Amino acid sequence: MNIAVIGSGGREHAIIKSLKKSPLADRIYALPGNGGMAGDAECVPVGAKDIPAIVEFCTREKIDYCVVAPDDPLVLGAVDALEDAGIACFGPRKRAAVIEGSKAFAKGLMTRYGIPTARYADFDDEAAAVSYIDSLPEGNVVVKADGLALGKGVILASSRAEAKAAVHSMMAEKQFGDSGSRVVIEEFLTGPEVSVLAFTDGENIAPMVSSMDHKRALDGDRGLNTGGMGTVAPNPYYTDEIADECMRRIFLPTVRAMKAEGRPFKGCLYFGLMLTADGPKVIEYNCRFGDPETQVVLPLLKSDLLTVMLACTEGRLRPEDVVFEDGAACCVIVASEGYPASYKTGFEIEIAGTDCEIFIAGAKLSEGRLMTSGGRVLGVTATAPTLSEAVKKAYAGVDKVRFTGAYHRSDIGARALAAADGR
Ligand code: AMP
Ligand code: GLY
């Protein structure tokens, strides 16, 4: 099969490396990919949001299967356009991608079907939002832009005044453009967070190994929120008992709810969960693989990724066919110093021999040399029988990566190891 993968980050590199192992895979193209993936896929300069150009390329090159990885093209209807042109895809159609594309939709769905989540209200009028905030007790409140906002549309306000300021910048000042025309205001929850990615064919669901993201820029979960500075899998907080409860109360009900609403979801459904004192609750849904969760989850997948993806597309997913290794994985992101605020790029990247997997995100080839071109430059993933070995091995891999201004957190996995020790 000739395959196209849409997207350009570390997640896409991990997907491509897994697909490459499949006996069913022939040529693999990345649209647009990045210079660091050039050894694993043919990079084609077509933007991930340029849907007409994607369809044109896939038709012309007789692509048999297209994996649409990022949120933007999914929410914009890339799968609809490709399928309508006769190209089979991995990923949800637009009607189903709305589960990430509109937080108000996702909250409404959970409310209608009794899926546990934070209490909330949503507004398309600033004055109404403000008077609702005034009706809440003084303290923490969460304000979310309804639409996609590059992962920045969630404000954890610590007072009513801060919450109102967040509403104002979203609704009146259009900080996130149209994405903030509607806002969701919700109760602040506490507890460990768990990411669970799941394959689904619209009816059956096969959760992958759980993982833990590290969103803040600095050690000790301090500093600005980022796209993710590292991940570990499995997540030690996510016990078998909790997994069973999530399956019964969250995963199956979500897939059934989407089907009942005439929005069958096929692809990878991402559950961002918080394990609260009242049980697991949904913090967010994403309509796609997480980044950098994918970089620890797929290296542990024993089954053939392409076979599993095709089963999702063709509505014949058998959860028992999705099998993971017993071991653990750790991914440490190496970023450009200053990320997620301002940073410099254009430095040469040197990678010495390592037994880790390197997933390149923000790099380009310039006269045969790999140069930094983004905030998150690459991820170093190690797998090992235990989490502590995986963490150690990943950091040994990080030491083999050099570029000017390279920055990484030094405590990826520390909290997971402490939690595992505590039991
Ligand atoms: P999101 O962009 O939806 O992933 O949200 C970013 C982060 O904000 C999440 O990973 C949580 O840490 C936090 N968050 C979102 N919603 C809530 C909530 N209701 N209570 C507490 N923290 C939240
Ligand atoms: N790592 C969080 C996300 O992909 O949204």
Side-chain angles (χ1 to χ4, degrees):
M1 297 181 86
N2 289 330
I3 302 166
V5 175
I6 312 303
S8 63
R11 163 185 58 200
E12 286 76 11
H13 197 187
I15 291 172
I16 286 166
K17 283 206 190 202
S18 284
L19 289 174
K20 235 179 102 172
K21 290 190 245 164
S22 175
L24 301 175
D26 258 323
R27 302 184 80 114
I28 303 183
Y29 298 90
L31 279 60
N34 71 60
M37 302 176 186
D40 296 305
E42 234 170 279
C43 297
V44 182
V46 167
K49 289 196 270 185
D50 190 348
I51 295 175
I54 292 170
V55 174
E56 200 267 327
F57 173 84
C58 291
T59 308
R60 178 162 40 89
E61 293 299 323
K62 301 198 170 39
I63 295 298
D64 300 294
Y65 197 52
C66 184
V67 178
V68 184
D71 47 2
D72 282 311
L74 289 166
V75 170
L76 290 169
V79 169
D80 308 53
L82 285 159
E83 287 184 347
D84 293 350
I87 295 150
C89 291
F90 182 81
R93 290 175 74 94
K94 188 175 180 175
R95 277 180 70 70
V98 70
I99 199 166
E100 175 171 2
S102 168
K103 291 196 184 348
F105 169 83
K107 297 298 286 189
L109 185 87
M110 289 186 269
T111 307
R112 291 194 290 285
Y113 293 86
I115 297 166
T117 188
R119 279 195 304 272
Y120 85 107
D122 65 292
F123 301 93
D124 56 13
D125 173 68
E126 186 180 351
V130 166
S131 66
Y132 176 74
I133 292 169
D134 278 327
S135 76
L136 300 174
E138 182 56 280
N140 295 331
V141 50
V142 183
V143 179
K144 300 185 173 182
D146 178 52
L148 296 181
L150 300 169
K152 297 189 179 114
V154 173
I155 304 294
L156 305 177
S158 53
S159 67
R160 287 196 294 239
E162 244 181 69
K164 286 187 228 173
V167 165
H168 187 73
S169 75
M170 287 181 196
M171 300 188 90
E173 291 164 5
K174 299 268 168 216
Q175 186 191 359
F176 305 114
D178 280 346
S179 288
S181 306
R182 180 176 283 274
V183 297
V184 166
I185 297 176
E186 71 178 30
E187 160 198 26
F188 182 86
L189 300 175
T190 53
E193 287 184 55
V194 181
S195 304
V196 179
L197 320 184
F199 291 107
T200 172
D201 64 1
E203 203 145 331
N204 304 292
I205 184 158
M208 301 179 220
V209 63
S210 63
S211 54
M212 182 192 288
D213 196 359
H214 298 67
K215 284 207 167 88
R216 301 296 199 96
L218 308 176
D219 283 6
D221 293 327
R222 291 173 304 111
L224 294 172
N225 251 323
T226 71
M229 293 302 294
T231 35
V232 295
N235 184 322
Y237 289 103
Y238 190 72
T239 60
D240 289 348
E241 203 183 1
I242 293 173
D244 284 346
E245 185 179 356
C246 289
M247 188 56 133
R248 263 185 302 112
R249 298 187 58 206
I250 296 174
F251 305 159
L252 280 171
T254 300
V255 168
R256 288 182 187 142
M258 290 297 280
K259 189 175 173 210
E261 302 237 330
R263 301 175 183 273
F265 188 104
K266 288 184 181 198
C268 175
L269 185 50
Y270 169 125
F271 299 87
L273 305 171
M274 196 172 269
L275 308 181
T276 74
D278 291 335
K281 296 191 180 181
V282 177
I283 289 282
E284 62 162 347
Y285 290 119
N286 291 326
C287 65
R288 52 171 175 85
F289 284 95
D291 189 338
E293 284 89 344
T294 305
Q295 290 92 309
V296 283
V297 169
L298 290 185
L300 293 173
L301 178 66
K302 249 193 200 169
S303 316
D304 180 58
L305 176 63
L306 183 52
T307 303
V308 173
M309 285 181 158
L310 288 166
C312 292
T313 302
E314 293 163 11
R316 49 177 182 75
L317 176 68
R318 299 195 325 168
E320 63 271 27
D321 292 342
V322 182
V323 182
F324 284 83
E325 308 276 357
D326 279 334
C330 173
C331 173
V332 179
I333 298 293
V334 185
S336 301
E337 191 174 5
Y339 170 79
S342 64
Y343 52 82
K344 294 197 181 114
T345 60
F347 300 112
E348 183 166 7
I349 306 167
E350 288 170 74
I351 305 171
T354 160
D355 52 357
C356 296
E357 293 248 45
I358 311 277
F359 299 120
I360 311 270
K364 62 179 184 203
L365 276 179
S366 171
E367 289 162 9
R369 294 187 307 165
L370 194 60
M371 315 292 280
T372 64
S373 67
R376 289 191 297 175
V377 174
L378 55 84
V380 179
T381 294
T383 56
T386 66
L387 183 58
S388 76
E389 290 166 276
V391 170
K392 219 178 279 168
K393 193 169 150 190
Y395 276 105
V398 168
D399 285 341
K400 307 280 183 184
V401 174
R402 293 239 147 104
F403 59 87
T404 304
Y407 167 77
H408 63 268
R409 270 181 64 164
S410 61
D411 65 346
I412 302 302
R415 193 211 275 237
L417 286 169
D421 277 351
R423 273 205 307 275

